[in-house]
Amino acid sequence: MLIRIATDSTADLPLKYIDRYQIAVIPLNLHFGEDILKDGEEIWAEEYYRRLTMEAFPPFTSQPSPHEFQEFYRKIAGPEDTIISIHISGKLSETVKSARLAAEQLQKERRVVVVDSETVSMALGLMVLEVAKTLEHEQDLEKILDRIAWLKKNIAVFFTVESLEHLSRTGRIGDFSVEAGHFLHSKPILSIENGLVVPVDKVRGNLGRIHRRLLQLARERLGSARAKIIILHGDALEDAKKIEELSKEFFMETEITIATIGPVVGVHAGPGALGLVALPLP
């Protein structure tokens, strides 16, 4: 019996990691008018941000159906295997709900453990990667689930957006719309807590101050000078590189990766979004 790891395309995992660790990824749907495109299979980040500037109406997203999940699970594992299926926060998407319905319907032919990551993008991606690495030397299900619980508590994510418009329009902003004026003439610094997007600070001034504040918050949260850091950007690579350079002031030892926010998450964060995901190194 093997334990297989699965996730969804909102993890924004680069292909090199998907291939290296044999991670099964089910795509969410991106709707551009009448076009329905599979995230990471029929549309990718570069094409998405380019197309976004040419569309008259904003895109929207949808989760895979329970039937699609059933077919996905049948394809990626045999009857004797166990699937750990880790997904975007259930408070941000119905994806977990679909996965759980599928797992229940398949319980006589597949063992599927569905996990709500309570996060999204490369915070989810990092969690999946760490589990995949653990599976290379550990196949005890309870120990893997304990590892996931630890990761959920210790992965930190902080980000900023060009505008709150995208998060507000798509309903992923949490319950702080009444505070919209609070961010006038400043940039919000956001995080994800208990599965929801929440405000943690605001910064006035140039992007350099915003970059620095993102790193300060991560350093405060981790309480460690050694960390794995993933810098996220929505079609803003040069700014991501500036954060990478600045990170040397805050972390003595780091493993740094720069990743692009994918199409589905990009619908909600908007172009120009910047953030970082951090995990303390032992």
Side-chain angles (χ1 to χ4, degrees):
M1 183 194 80
L2 294 175
I3 297 178
R4 292 296 314 277
I5 185 76
T7 189
D8 60 74
S9 62
T10 68
D12 291 337
L13 280 166
L15 184 60
K16 64 180 180 179
Y17 295 127
I18 294 172
D19 290 342
R20 165 67 178 82
Y21 294 103
Q22 298 184 321
I23 298 166
V25 181
I26 189 169
L28 270 69
N29 305 306
L30 184 71
H31 300 252
F32 267 118
E34 295 182 355
D35 293 341
I36 303 175
L37 304 170
K38 297 294 184 184
D39 181 19
E41 292 185 1
E42 298 172 327
I43 188 167
W44 293 264
E46 184 178 353
E47 179 185 354
Y48 165 72
Y49 289 109
R50 183 175 65 249
R51 182 168 176 175
L52 190 62
T53 63
M54 300 183 291
E55 292 288 332
F57 299 98
F60 65 96
T61 63
S62 64
Q63 73 278 3
S65 68
H67 175 72
E68 287 176 303
F69 264 108
Q70 287 183 52
E71 294 305 306
F72 173 68
Y73 291 144
R74 288 189 179 110
K75 181 179 178 181
I76 67 173
E80 302 302 318
D81 297 333
T82 296
I83 302 168
I84 299 178
S85 198
I86 310 176
H87 297 287
I88 177 177
S89 167
K91 294 178 181 177
L92 300 177
S93 170
E94 295 285 305
T95 301
V96 164
K97 184 177 179 180
S98 283
R100 285 176 173 158
L101 284 171
E104 182 179 346
Q105 292 161 354
L106 286 177
Q107 59 183 329
K108 292 184 179 180
E109 58 177 284
R110 292 290 189 283
R111 186 183 188 189
V112 183
V113 179
V114 177
V115 177
D116 183 343
S117 72
E118 299 184 5
T119 191
V120 69
S121 192
M122 275 300 294
L124 166 58
L126 181 57
M127 187 180 300
V128 171
L129 278 175
E130 291 298 306
V131 173
K133 292 174 183 178
T134 303
L135 284 172
E136 291 188 324
H137 58 80
E138 178 61 71
Q139 287 282 309
D140 183 291
L141 180 60
E142 292 306 314
K143 290 181 179 179
I144 299 299
L145 295 178
D146 286 344
R147 175 66 171 159
I148 292 172
W150 184 88
L151 290 164
K152 287 172 72 170
K153 290 179 180 178
N154 287 278
I155 291 177
V157 54
F158 297 98
F159 65 101
T160 187
V161 292
E162 282 289 298
S163 167
L164 291 173
E165 174 190 352
H166 298 275
L167 285 167
S168 179
R169 174 175 56 80
T170 59
R172 267 64 175 186
I173 201 167
D175 188 22
F176 63 94
S177 57
V178 292
E179 302 178 26
H182 180 71
F183 296 104
L184 192 63
H185 306 308
S186 64
K187 287 283 189 182
I189 303 293
L190 309 168
S191 186
I192 300 178
E193 296 178 6
N194 299 315
L196 283 173
V197 176
V198 297
V200 294
D201 202 356
K202 62 176 181 177
V203 177
R204 294 177 181 269
N206 59 32
L207 273 173
R209 294 185 65 183
I210 295 169
H211 299 165
R212 184 173 293 276
R213 186 57 179 146
L214 288 169
L215 288 160
Q216 285 175 339
L217 288 165
R219 179 71 174 82
E220 291 168 8
R221 169 70 183 276
L222 266 60
S224 169
R226 304 178 68 241
K228 289 184 179 180
I229 294 177
I230 299 173
I231 300 167
L232 299 168
H233 70 94
D235 198 30
L237 179 58
E238 291 307 311
D239 287 316
K241 289 179 178 178
K242 291 176 183 176
I243 297 175
E244 179 182 27
E245 182 63 27
L246 187 61
S247 67
K248 297 171 186 176
E249 295 183 23
F250 294 86
F251 295 94
M252 292 187 302
E253 296 182 48
T254 55
E255 297 177 16
I256 299 178
T257 303
I258 294 178
T260 307
I261 296 170
V264 167
V265 179
V267 168
H268 307 290
L274 286 166
L276 58 86
V277 176
L279 178 69
L281 286 171

